[in-house]
Structures are given as C-alpha cells and as structure tokens.
Amino acid sequence: MAPVLTGTPNPSAPALCAAGAGEHTVTMTTTSPDPTPTRLPLRHRKTPINRAEPPSSASVVSLVIVVVGYLISLVAPSLVVSPSAPSAPMTRVLAAFALTLLGVAVSVAAGLLAFRRTHNWGWLIITGVPAVSLVSGGAILAATKAMA
C-alpha cells in the first residue's frame, strides 16, 4: 500500500505546534495515484556529449616520432654496451647514455610541438613520464657500468 496525502484536515491529530490543527490525514491505498508509470529514457538512445573525432594526420605523425624516439633511447644503448656485461669502457658507457638522451630529446621535442599545436595536456604526459623514466634508468645503468 502506498501512502496518499489527502486534502482533508485531521481534527484528531496531536497539536505538535501552533499550526497543528491543520494537519492532514495520510491514508493507505492499494492503488497508485498514477496508474501509467513513465519510462526513463535509455542512455544509448541519446547522442554522446563529446563525440570522439579521428586523430589528425599531424597527431599521428607526432605520435610516430615520439615512439621512434623512445625506441632509439631503449634499443640503441644496448647495441653499444651489453646490459648483461658487468662493466664497460667509459667511452662506450657515455656513448650509450648519449644515445638515451638523444632518443628522449627527440620524443620530448615532438611532444612539445604537438602540445603547442593542439593544446592537449596529454602530449606532455605521453612524453614527460617516459622521458623521466628513461633518463633515470640510463643514468643508473651508466653508473653501474662505470663503477664496476
């Protein structure tokens, strides 16, 4: 049973305040006041607020340059100095670290140019976070090879 508020005052209601004499009676009925419930609109029938557009060709080229820069900073140093070798000559260690910095510089430059073009902060995240990781990892690898 659903409670239904009626418009008739209840004279037997307790006087809870000064306006207590105007209390209304709540009666319980088995029928709903609105026999035809309205359906809520389905979410998939509405158009999305922000429709995703395909990326521009300049953004795709920038992303490819960023990935190539990261591949340079990951693969090229291992061609100069073997990661499994316990030590290496200082010139090879510096060359490997320079290749890491070169790849990171290419990626960061491409990301900054893409950010200036699109004003999308995602480019700074895509380039900044891996750049810090690669430079710190390269420095750690160079220090362990040079000190051993």
Side-chain angles (χ1 to χ4, degrees), residues 45-71:
R45 290 184 184 165
K46 293 185 176 184
T47 59
I49 296 171
N50 295 325
R51 181 162 292 184
E53 299 173 2
S56 66
S57 59
S59 294
V60 172
V61 169
S62 296
L63 187 61
V64 167
I65 293 172
V66 167
V67 169
V68 166
Y70 289 150
L71 287 176

Side-chain angles (χ1 to χ4, degrees), residues 60-78 96-111 123 126-128 130-135:
V60 172
V61 169
S62 296
L63 187 61
V64 167
I65 293 172
V66 167
V67 169
V68 166
Y70 289 150
L71 287 176
I72 289 171
S73 62
L74 284 172
V75 175
S78 64
F97 189 63
L99 286 173
T100 300
L101 292 179
L102 174 71
V104 167
V106 167
S107 296
V108 169
W123 284 108
I126 289 171
T127 58
V132 170
S133 302
L134 288 169
V135 169

Side-chain angles (χ1 to χ4, degrees), residues 9-119:
N10 184 2
S12 65
L16 298 175
C17 61
E23 292 288 329
H24 292 280
T25 304
V26 176
T27 58
M28 302 297 275
T29 63
T30 57
T31 61
S32 166
D34 186 14
T36 57
T38 57
R39 293 182 58 187
L40 295 176
L42 294 177
R43 189 98 170 123
H44 67 275
R45 290 184 184 165
K46 293 185 176 184
T47 59
I49 296 171
N50 295 325
R51 181 162 292 184
E53 299 173 2
S56 66
S57 59
S59 294
V60 172
V61 169
S62 296
L63 187 61
V64 167
I65 293 172
V66 167
V67 169
V68 166
Y70 289 150
L71 287 176
I72 289 171
S73 62
L74 284 172
V75 175
S78 64
L79 298 176
V80 176
V81 176
S82 174
S84 61
S87 65
M90 185 57 101
T91 57
R92 287 181 165 253
V93 170
L94 290 177
F97 189 63
L99 286 173
T100 300
L101 292 179
L102 174 71
V104 167
V106 167
S107 296
V108 169
L112 287 176
L113 290 174
F115 172 72
R116 285 187 59 188
R117 187 184 69 252
T118 62
H119 299 289

